[in-house]
Amino acid sequence: MRQLRSFYYVTILALLASACGDDGNKGTCDLAAPDCADGMACEAVQDGEARCYLPLIIRGSVVDATDDSAVAQARVQAVDANGAAVGSSAQTDNSGKFSLTVPASRDFEGTPISDSYTLRAQAGGFQPFPTAIRPALPLDAAAAMGSAEEGWVIENALTSIALLPLPGDSSSLGSIAGNIAALKNQGILVVAEGGGLGLPGFSDSAGDYIIFNVPAGDYTVHGYTASVQLNEAEVSLAAAEKKTGVDLTESSAPLSTVTGTVQIVNAPGEALTSVVLAVESTFVQDAARGIVPPGLRVGDITGTFTLTDVPDGKYVVLAAFENDDLVRDPDQTIGG
């Protein structure tokens, strides 16, 4: 990959200003309705108005962990620090390669600043990544390399994802896919619940989602994110069926509030923790972990906590979910 030298940098910025200025907006753009020229991205600017810049691209590969062979047609998404899928989703090609574009805050010159992402990958016949015991490590946007041809690129060891095959014969497993058209760019957690299973997927910037490796049976598909109530959808899936068009719509039902208390003991100084709501059907008891919908987290907790705008659902309340140097007492529960 060709590195961006200083004499290229000036040229790129000049071309960038020209490309953005051709539409009369002098380089500024609207994040809600981007109007940048082809090949450019509308990005938030630190201490300024959004502008058109060369995009930030994450490039990598997905392989079978058992033999390093390519995994084709895997779905890859970037996830922000709050657990929400961001930007477009990508599908790996026959060589297992993927490339996806993600939003990134910029300085005025267009250089990405320190946004953090992790990667999520799913594919038919494979366990999803990450899991409770296989965490994803963060990628720093500030480490992206500049390319005159493509923009800013992150490609390193962390963008190579190894998936573990599902045990046994997976040929009878199907999938459920749909759209949440009214809530694009939300990164909503979508869970197919039925038969004691909670099988997850996440919507992307177009509102599309897909849930892989679904056994035949009857399911209720729920969407979870803070501040939004969604109508559930009922699905009957035959063996190996790839069901599409399972769209979720907004509901006018009221949202809820969850309150409680956390007692922090034997911690030096003023210890702080966070509280999250994990969807019960995704909770793994042995790992004490579950999938947390975007926004269902509150931080800097020393005692009482309140989570507002919680959609309908069954949740497990977890404290010290993140790496805050605290651990949960297995003999105690959270009050509330």
Side-chain angles (χ1 to χ4, degrees):
M1 180 171 57
R2 186 148 58 100
Q3 302 296 311
L4 181 65
R5 301 290 188 260
S6 59
F7 52 89
Y8 285 129
Y9 194 58
V10 174
T11 304
I12 290 173
L13 289 177
L15 290 172
L16 184 154
S18 174
C20 293
D22 287 344
D23 61 6
N25 66 7
K26 298 182 179 179
T28 61
C29 57
D30 183 353
L31 289 171
D35 55 354
C36 297
D38 289 345
M40 309 294 284
C42 184
E43 304 283 33
V45 177
Q46 192 175 40
D47 302 322
E49 293 183 275
R51 301 181 69 86
C52 301
Y53 293 115
L54 293 168
L56 174 62
I57 299 167
I58 299 176
R59 183 184 294 129
S61 61
V62 180
V63 299
D64 186 324
T66 61
D67 59 10
D68 287 333
S69 61
V71 176
Q73 296 184 327
R75 180 180 170 92
V76 183
Q77 291 175 296
V79 181
D80 67 16
N82 295 315
V86 294
S88 61
S89 60
Q91 181 172 288
T92 56
D93 60 20
N94 289 335
S95 62
K97 303 294 185 181
F98 71 86
S99 178
L100 58 86
T101 301
V102 296
S105 301
R106 310 296 183 101
D107 63 19
F108 188 78
E109 286 74 23
T111 303
I113 58 179
S114 193
D115 286 329
S116 178
Y117 312 90
T118 56
L119 293 178
R120 176 186 292 126
Q122 294 176 290
F126 291 87
Q127 298 178 31
F129 176 84
T131 65
I133 60 174
R134 297 186 69 216
L137 299 178
L139 301 166
D140 187 355
M145 303 299 293
S147 164
E149 292 80 14
E150 298 176 281
W152 298 91
V153 178
I154 300 175
E155 185 175 15
N156 54 41
L158 298 182
T159 65
S160 180
I161 303 169
L163 296 183
L164 294 169
L166 292 171
D169 182 9
S170 61
S171 61
S172 64
L173 299 178
S175 62
I176 298 172
N179 183 267
I180 312 174
L183 297 169
K184 296 179 181 180
N185 299 304
Q186 295 288 320
I188 292 170
L189 169 63
V190 183
V191 182
E193 300 175 349
L197 299 174
L199 303 171
F202 284 84
S203 66
D204 62 13
S205 57
D208 296 322
Y209 76 88
I210 183 169
I211 301 170
F212 290 94
N213 301 313
V214 186
D218 297 327
Y219 296 89
T220 302
V221 179
H222 299 271
Y224 299 96
T225 190
S227 304
V228 175
Q229 196 81 268
L230 291 170
N231 292 307
E232 61 191 34
E234 302 295 332
V235 178
S236 293
L237 196 71
E241 181 181 6
K242 292 179 170 57
K243 180 81 73 174
T244 60
V246 185
D247 300 337
L248 301 182
T249 58
E250 280 195 82
S251 167
S252 59
L255 297 160
S256 300
T257 298
V258 176
T259 62
T261 57
V262 175
Q263 183 181 10
I264 300 176
V265 297
N266 299 328
E270 185 183 14
L272 301 174
T273 191
S274 60
V275 174
V276 299
L277 301 184
V279 175
E280 184 183 52
S281 63
T282 70
F283 187 70
V284 179
Q285 187 68 46
D286 291 343
R289 286 291 185 268
I291 301 179
V292 179
L296 297 189
R297 174 194 181 276
V298 60
D300 297 335
I301 300 301
T302 59
T304 61
F305 67 87
T306 301
L307 289 115
T308 59
D309 298 330
V310 179
D312 292 350
K314 293 183 177 181
Y315 301 94
V316 178
V317 186
L318 299 172
F321 188 75
E322 293 135 334
N323 187 18
D324 56 8
D325 297 323
L326 297 172
V327 295
R328 184 173 173 184
D329 184 343
D331 297 324
Q332 301 295 321
T333 59
I334 298 174

